[in-house]
Amino acid sequence: MNFAAAQSIKRGLLAAGHYRRALGRSRFPGVAVLGYHGLRDDDSPDGSMAFENLHVRASTFEAHCRVIRDTCDPITLDDWRAALLGTAPLPPRPVLVTFDDGYRSVFTIGAPILAAANLPAVVFACSDPMERRHLLWFDDVAAREGEAAVEPWKARDYGSWLTACATGTQAVADADPRAVMTVPELQALSRQRGIEIGAHTERHPILAHAAPAAQRAEIAGNRAALEAWTGRPVRAFAYPNGRPGVDYNGDTVTILRDLGFDFGFTMRPAFATADEPPLERSRFMVLAEILGPELAHRMAYTWPR
Ligand SMILES: [Zn+2]
């Protein structure tokens, strides 16, 4: 069966309530943590921004929110904390929505959709581009040299990446779809019901290529900025790039523990089960090409349990 035919069948199954019934009989083996990045308007033309598969269209995100609300049990990190303390068990199909990087579109497009669907979310934000009103380093490199030029920078050591790449990023206008939130926007988002702000380092380095002291400075400095701006404790962290054993190392986990973080999120695609380490939780990355019916299908059947 070709891709379009499969999509159309899944759309029909969703409309007929099939996934709601199938999921209604099931219990997830852990929390389905969804890892989003940015969002974009429905009318933004294809090919107009780098890494556009990381920026889910508004109508797709709305469809995701409906699927989550209708077929699963959205939770906050505080719900999860309460379950770990034994105060209240998690519901049968817990889903946690997360966003990495701190894109402004999460505030302008995502926050109203989340509020309308009454969905909680965690937003992991990088503080340095926010403070300087600059592009994130990978969006900057992609704009100047193309997407393919980004990957080699991820293999460089922290010092050379910092001087040659991360500190020379270009300014970005707030209206640009690649812009990160302003500080007042982050503050407003942090006050929306159900939203928690988490740490994601100051500049989004590949932590595995940094000495422990530099890793600690990136993480602690980010947390201090986010806490000062929002007036709230920052206790959860998402590893930049997120591949276990590749993008961070044992030192990173030790630093998080030392700094008192209670949740760390990777991009290992799996349900976050009770037996995995609290500072290395799994997440399913959600891309723009995953439409509403496809998300329902993956939750019901495809994701391994
Ligand atoms: Zn990131």
Side-chain angles (χ1 to χ4, degrees):
M1 192 188 322
N2 70 28
F3 179 75
Q7 292 277 92
S8 143
I9 287 170
K10 288 169 189 172
R11 206 162 47 236
L13 289 172
L14 181 66
H18 170 81
Y19 293 116
R20 189 165 39 77
R21 288 191 296 276
L23 280 160
R25 293 188 292 267
S26 78
R27 173 174 279 275
F28 287 163
V31 179
V33 188
L34 307 184
Y36 291 87
H37 289 82
L39 298 169
R40 60 187 149 124
D41 289 323
D42 285 346
D43 58 6
S44 81
D46 279 334
S48 61
M49 66 191 297
F51 306 112
E52 65 183 357
N53 213 5
L54 292 178
H55 301 265
V56 174
R57 289 199 185 277
S59 57
T60 304
F61 184 60
E62 259 177 327
H64 289 177
C65 289
R66 261 197 312 277
V67 165
I68 295 164
R69 172 66 51 214
D70 292 351
T71 66
C72 298
D73 306 299
I75 62 162
T76 63
L77 267 185
D78 279 340
D79 293 331
W80 201 343
R81 290 181 179 112
L84 291 171
L85 288 171
T87 335
L90 285 175
R93 291 176 301 285
V95 173
L96 177 67
V97 173
T98 71
F99 289 93
D100 282 12
D101 300 343
Y103 283 106
R104 189 164 181 267
S105 56
V106 175
F107 175 73
T108 55
I109 300 172
I113 296 174
L114 288 166
N118 193 24
L119 278 193
V122 189
V123 179
F124 298 101
C126 290
S127 43
D128 180 73
M130 213 168 256
E131 193 163 23
R132 296 165 62 218
R133 308 308 306 142
H134 277 218
L135 286 173
L136 285 148
W137 73 265
F138 41 85
D139 283 330
D140 179 69
V141 170
R144 285 186 285 107
E145 302 168 44
E147 284 182 20
V150 170
E151 218 47 40
W153 282 109
K154 293 185 181 174
R156 297 279 289 270
D157 73 279
Y158 179 78
S160 66
W161 166 84
L162 185 65
T163 48
C165 181
T167 50
T169 51
Q170 56 190 303
V172 64
D174 289 347
D176 191 299
R178 303 162 301 167
V180 294
M181 275 177 262
T182 66
V183 171
E185 286 165 347
L186 180 81
Q187 287 167 333
L189 186 65
S190 74
R191 289 192 291 266
Q192 177 164 320
R193 210 168 85 88
I195 302 289
E196 177 167 332
I197 304 300
H200 197 45
T201 71
E202 290 177 314
R203 302 177 189 82
H204 212 283
I206 301 301
L207 289 166
H209 303 317
Q215 293 196 35
R216 195 184 172 94
E218 279 279 351
I219 297 166
N222 176 231
R223 181 173 71 173
L226 297 175
E227 288 188 338
W229 293 339
T230 63
R232 312 230 157 149
V234 169
R235 293 182 286 170
F237 180 81
Y239 300 92
N241 229 42
R243 292 167 302 171
V246 180
D247 295 321
Y248 65 92
N249 55 27
D251 292 330
T252 325
V253 181
T254 303
I255 290 162
L256 291 182
R257 189 173 302 123
D258 226 49
L259 291 172
F261 283 92
D262 62 356
F263 278 93
F265 290 94
T266 71
M267 279 294 184
R268 182 200 301 114
F271 284 98
T273 55
D275 59 348
E276 66 183 17
L279 293 176
E280 292 186 87
R281 300 279 185 192
S282 299
R283 277 195 292 181
F284 296 107
M285 203 197 296
V286 184
L287 299 172
E289 69 197 17
I290 301 173
L291 303 181
E294 179 62 28
L295 181 68
H297 190 84
R298 289 184 188 198
M299 291 203 292
Y301 300 112
T302 319
W303 286 341
R305 54 259 274 172

